[in-house]
Amino acid sequence: LTDVPSICPHCPVGCNTSLSTRLDRDFGGRAQIKRVMPRQNEQVNEIWICDKGRFGHTFTRDENSRLCDPMVRDGSGALQPKAWADANLAAADALKAAGSDIAAIAGPGMSNEDLFALRQLLAGLGSDRLGAWPPTHAGADIVAQVGVSSGTNLGQLGKGDMIVIIASDLEEEAPIWRLRLKQAKDRGAYLLVMNTRHTRLADFATESLLYDTGHAVQALNDLWNAPAETAAKAAISAARSLVIVAGAEGLTLDGHRALMQTAANMLIAAGKVGQPNSGLLCPFPGANWMGLYYLGYTPEATLDIQQRPPKVLVVAQADLLLDDPAAANWLAQVETIISLDMFAASGLNDRARVVMPLQSFAE
């Protein structure tokens, strides 16, 4: 067995995983992942790993579902396997014919290097329309400004600290955060869970508050403006550290941005920005949502692409139709779709003119 450092492809927690691989007879003598283990970094994850990260790796070697060859749609309308040179030529011809009327939508499983290369391709053709998928979470720019600071270790939170979780079900979205923040509550931190519905983490919270759907911003403002003698407001006022986790459950994209900005305003007013163990967290979908932001891909651009479909759309590791069946309506207005994907059975590939295989995180 050989241990290879890796990053979990499933979530934004940064579990810092290690892949145990070996050359396997049943895999044609090639390297095969045998297990995924958390690396020993107490400050990152207390040597924990979520079930998705531990067991969700078999797709990387599933030759029945993986896309292994480029495909191009022929005159009969059927996708046919092609050599790389032919597929590249078909994609290049479509891009050149569209002029600058092209756009790209990328998912959070893409690496920074691939996102940069895709951005450079569009820039060379005169386009800066870079969308992030799914267009559900806003405020990556706000996290970049008021996110938890350098030196933060959730394992240090305890008595005298305040944690607010709003519009998020961490057990489903970021289970390592859920475990670490519950443990902080066990050490004495004040844990406030706010949502439109009951979540399992609320069973362990110091206090749980319900609000009406669409009123997350008002609920957070009400918390800040509550009388000083209320328990939660008193805990915020006296908090040594303040962490706010703001999800997007039950919110539109604009609603989530408003919630993220409200949380940022609270942190600024409390004087907790730039302080270790304080700041804003968001359970963004996928492993590299912040990378999408830093490389210029935004959900707002995705909405613009939906409203003004381009002639050519490049889709990189984002299953638009699986996540949003209504996407078929605006995709029908795109003349050419170039799909970069890991799986042959992606619904988008049925509409693409050119389909090219991507490597997995293990490759």
Side-chain angles (χ1 to χ4, degrees):
L1 292 177
T2 302
D3 285 334
V4 182
S6 181
I7 297 297
C8 176
H10 299 288
C11 65
V13 177
C15 297
N16 226 4
T17 57
S18 176
L19 305 178
S20 293
T21 67
R22 77 176 182 193
L23 302 180
D24 195 272
R25 178 190 62 191
D26 295 331
F27 198 50
R30 291 171 290 158
Q32 181 184 92
I33 299 174
K34 304 305 293 185
R35 62 183 177 185
V36 179
M37 300 288 289
R39 304 185 77 194
Q40 294 191 12
N41 190 326
E42 291 279 352
Q43 189 159 328
V44 172
N45 59 349
E46 299 180 38
I47 321 183
W48 288 337
I49 186 173
C50 71
D51 288 345
K52 286 187 289 185
R54 185 183 298 278
F55 299 111
H57 61 81
T58 57
F59 72 90
T60 64
R61 61 177 184 269
D62 187 349
E63 294 181 336
N64 292 322
S65 63
R66 288 291 301 274
L67 183 64
C68 298
D69 298 295
M71 295 189 292
V72 177
R73 197 168 300 281
D74 62 17
S76 68
L79 280 174
Q80 300 292 344
K82 294 289 184 178
W84 275 100
D86 294 333
N88 283 331
L89 183 61
D93 288 344
L95 290 168
K96 291 175 182 177
S100 62
D101 192 9
I102 59 177
I105 294 178
M110 296 285 286
S111 69
N112 287 343
E113 293 81 4
D114 289 339
L115 292 171
F116 176 81
L118 182 56
R119 185 183 72 179
Q120 292 297 96
L121 171 64
L122 262 68
L125 296 169
S127 175
D128 60 357
R129 303 183 70 189
L130 303 173
W133 190 266
T136 53
H137 291 63
D141 54 324
I142 298 174
V143 171
Q145 297 176 57
V146 301
V148 290
S149 300
S150 176
T152 291
N153 180 0
L154 299 181
Q156 295 174 347
L157 295 175
K159 187 175 181 179
D161 298 321
M162 178 74 177
I163 303 165
V164 179
I165 301 173
I166 183 167
S168 176
D169 186 349
L170 287 186
E171 185 159 352
E172 296 294 332
E173 297 176 275
I176 299 298
W177 288 358
R178 184 261 186 196
L179 286 168
R180 301 197 77 191
L181 295 176
K182 177 192 175 296
Q183 196 174 66
K185 187 267 180 182
D186 294 340
R187 292 190 295 265
Y190 195 107
L191 175 60
L192 173 62
V193 175
M194 308 172 69
N195 209 319
T196 60
R197 62 182 179 90
H198 182 82
T199 62
R200 288 190 63 185
L201 186 56
D203 293 334
F204 304 96
T206 310
E207 184 179 357
S208 175
L209 296 175
L210 296 177
Y211 55 84
D212 292 334
T213 300
H215 289 75
V217 170
Q218 184 62 51
L220 204 56
N221 280 324
D222 289 345
L223 171 65
W224 180 253
N225 296 320
E229 63 271 14
T230 61
K233 181 56 184 290
I236 292 176
S237 300
R240 175 184 56 191
S241 299
L242 173 61
V243 172
I244 302 178
V245 182
E249 186 170 302
L251 298 172
T252 63
L253 188 65
D254 287 341
H256 186 232
R257 171 165 288 280
L259 179 63
M260 296 286 280
Q261 187 61 62
T262 302
N265 294 342
M266 181 182 294
L267 288 161
I268 293 169
K272 301 302 181 183
V273 176
Q275 174 182 313
N277 299 326
S278 291
L280 180 61
L281 290 170
C282 178
F284 290 120
N288 196 29
W289 191 268
M290 289 304 295
L292 286 169
Y293 160 70
Y294 286 124
L295 271 297
Y297 299 76
T298 69
E300 289 82 6
T302 300
L303 296 185
D304 179 68
I305 292 169
Q306 292 175 335
Q307 294 164 5
R308 298 187 300 115
K311 287 185 177 180
V312 175
L313 177 65
V314 182
V315 182
Q317 202 167 338
D319 200 330
L320 277 57
L321 290 170
L322 179 64
D323 294 334
D324 180 16
N329 296 327
W330 63 268
L331 284 172
Q333 303 176 51
V334 178
E335 291 183 9
T336 301
I337 296 174
I338 300 172
S339 176
L340 314 179
D341 207 332
M342 281 193 290
F343 303 105
S346 168
L348 190 65
N349 292 345
D350 293 337
R351 296 170 175 263
R353 177 180 172 186
V354 181
V355 180
M356 295 184 176
L358 289 175
Q359 292 181 314
S360 73
F361 77 99
E363 295 150 346

